[in-house]
Amino acid sequence: MSCRHFLTLLDFTADELHALIKRAIELKKRHADGEIYEPMRNKVLAMVFEKSSTRTRVSFEAAMTHFGGNAIFLSPRDTQLGRGEPIEDSARVLSQMVDMIMIRTFEHEKISLFTEYATVPVINALTDSYHPCQLLADMQTYIEHRGPIAGKTVAWVGDGNNMCHSYINAAIRFNFNLTIACPESYDPDQKILSAAGDRVKIIRDPIEACQNVDLVATDVWTSMGQEDEQRKRNESFRGYIVNQKVMQQANKDALFLHCLPAHRGEEVSAEVIDGPQSVVWDEAGNRLHAQKALIDFLAKEHNKT
Ligand code: CP
Ligand code: NVA
């Protein structure tokens, strides 16, 4: 059997993802109770970061420490990857030395190529196209606060970016409806969108897209790697802000999520992100627990091979 990886949510079945969230909630409780659980004792996670990170780096590193293992931070500035060593070679070399590899990079094709040559599980910690680990935490957070998300309606306000693509995949696997409010020419990828069928709709206007929804999620207007477009994006996305007026369109018990980092006054107003419907700190904290469940799952699957 070939090695399991986590490059997008679609790599896992709906049952596996639901079990993973359940396990994340359980591991969170066990950790809070002070229970020691060390399934990765003497194991090593390599963390390749070609982009900046606070949450992802700290959550993976803390997860490995709690699990009795170790995490090695690798940046292109001080590895041979940054000097042009082929991805195929790096994947084979790292696989000889570590038990799991986490990668944050630019083109999704790079992580796909890496995975073809890796012989240990690979986790996508964000590419230009997807951010599946964040969606594990987002789903955990919604479910903890409100119960099952199946049949609910979620609004995505902003760019049709990596987070939006992962929300589309989550709509497929967790069976919810998704309305996307994005400006024209910032639509999500057509192929990713069409795989979701009529569960997902583009409704340009944020006010309209948020009518009677159960969850509102957004993200920055300019993602990492798009800094050159910032000025143009600030123009295009003006009006794509989740403020009180937008939240008032949603159901009374609707929640607000943002993967962070956030720009108050751009994609979200301070009163929303710091207000009562926002659960962004739980969301950020759940990165730790959801990824612990992921690491544990992948390690166990790998042991079967
Ligand atoms: N949400 C998220 O992935 O944050 P970082 O970029 O800080 O890792
Ligand atoms: N869309 C953002 C997410 C950051 C966690 C980015 O790619 O920069």
Side-chain angles (χ1 to χ4, degrees):
M1 202 205 292
S2 67
C3 184
R4 296 285 302 269
H5 305 286
F6 185 62
L7 300 198
T8 81
L9 290 171
L10 301 185
D11 288 338
F12 285 20
T13 65
D15 284 349
E16 284 172 340
L17 289 171
H18 281 104
L20 209 75
I21 302 299
K22 200 170 156 220
R23 180 89 172 125
I25 294 169
E26 182 190 313
L27 289 174
K28 182 176 179 176
K29 186 179 181 307
R30 285 167 61 169
H31 181 67
D33 290 346
E35 196 183 308
I36 305 289
Y37 175 57
E38 296 186 326
M40 297 297 280
R41 212 174 167 74
N42 295 322
K43 305 277 187 202
V44 178
L45 170 75
M47 308 192 298
V48 179
F49 278 99
E50 295 196 323
K51 291 177 174 173
S52 304
S53 169
T54 297
R55 281 144 287 269
T56 305
R57 178 178 175 180
V58 176
S59 53
F60 271 107
E61 209 163 317
M64 285 304 287
T65 302
H66 294 167
F67 272 0
N70 249 294
I72 304 176
F73 174 78
L74 300 164
S75 97
R77 277 181 297 283
D78 33 47
T79 59
Q80 300 291 4
L81 254 171
R83 295 183 61 249
E85 183 166 12
I87 290 172
E88 299 89 321
D89 295 1
S90 304
R92 285 177 285 198
V93 169
L94 288 182
S95 297
Q96 298 288 322
M97 300 173 183
V98 304
D99 304 280
M100 207 171 281
I101 303 168
M102 183 237 81
I103 304 180
R104 169 168 285 196
T105 189
F106 292 86
E107 298 86 357
H108 192 77
E109 294 68 32
K110 273 166 92 174
I111 198 171
S112 301
L113 179 63
F114 191 101
T115 303
E116 267 180 52
Y117 289 86
T119 52
V120 297
V122 175
I123 296 171
N124 177 3
L126 182 144
T127 62
D128 291 345
S129 306
Y130 301 99
H131 195 3
C133 289
Q134 182 68 53
L135 259 292
L136 294 180
D138 285 23
M139 293 299 101
Q140 181 185 344
T141 308
Y142 185 87
I143 291 165
E144 280 178 335
H145 282 269
R146 295 285 184 265
I149 196 163
K152 302 282 184 186
T153 304
V154 178
W156 174 262
V157 179
D159 195 10
N161 62 8
N162 45 10
M163 275 296 298
C164 179
H165 290 157
S166 286
Y167 261 96
I168 296 171
N169 283 347
I172 298 173
R173 284 292 186 263
F174 289 88
N175 200 20
F176 57 81
N177 302 307
L178 178 66
T179 59
I180 299 171
C182 57
E184 267 171 57
S185 52
Y186 293 96
D187 283 5
D189 181 274
Q190 193 51 48
K191 233 171 104 187
I192 297 171
L193 188 64
S194 52
D198 51 14
R199 269 193 209 88
V200 183
K201 286 189 192 71
I202 295 188
I203 296 175
R204 302 256 168 241
D205 178 15
I207 296 278
E208 206 185 317
C210 291
Q211 297 285 328
N212 305 322
V213 301
D214 303 289
L215 170 64
V216 178
T218 190
D219 185 15
V220 293
W221 293 342
T222 304
S223 286
M224 291 181 278
Q226 299 172 333
E227 289 77 8
D228 291 353
E229 301 173 24
Q230 185 149 4
R231 192 181 289 222
K232 184 169 154 247
R233 284 175 169 267
N234 285 350
E235 285 297 310
S236 310
F237 284 92
R238 198 178 298 152
Y240 283 82
I241 179 169
V242 180
N243 55 21
Q244 218 39 40
K245 190 173 167 203
V246 170
M247 285 307 290
Q248 275 160 7
Q249 312 305 313
N251 289 335
K252 279 215 158 35
D253 65 346
L255 296 175
F256 172 77
L257 290 176
H258 189 312
C259 62
L260 307 176
H263 297 81
R264 288 168 177 78
E266 291 187 12
E267 75 277 4
V268 61
S269 68
E271 57 178 353
V272 167
I273 196 167
D274 300 317
Q277 287 170 289
S278 170
V279 285
V280 298
W281 313 122
D282 288 349
E283 177 190 14
N286 281 338
R287 293 293 303 275
L288 171 65
H289 311 292
Q291 286 156 203
K292 274 185 170 176
L294 175 65
I295 292 168
D296 201 19
F297 176 83
L298 285 173
K300 283 177 181 151
E301 285 291 297
H302 192 56
N303 284 340
K304 292 184 194 163
T305 60

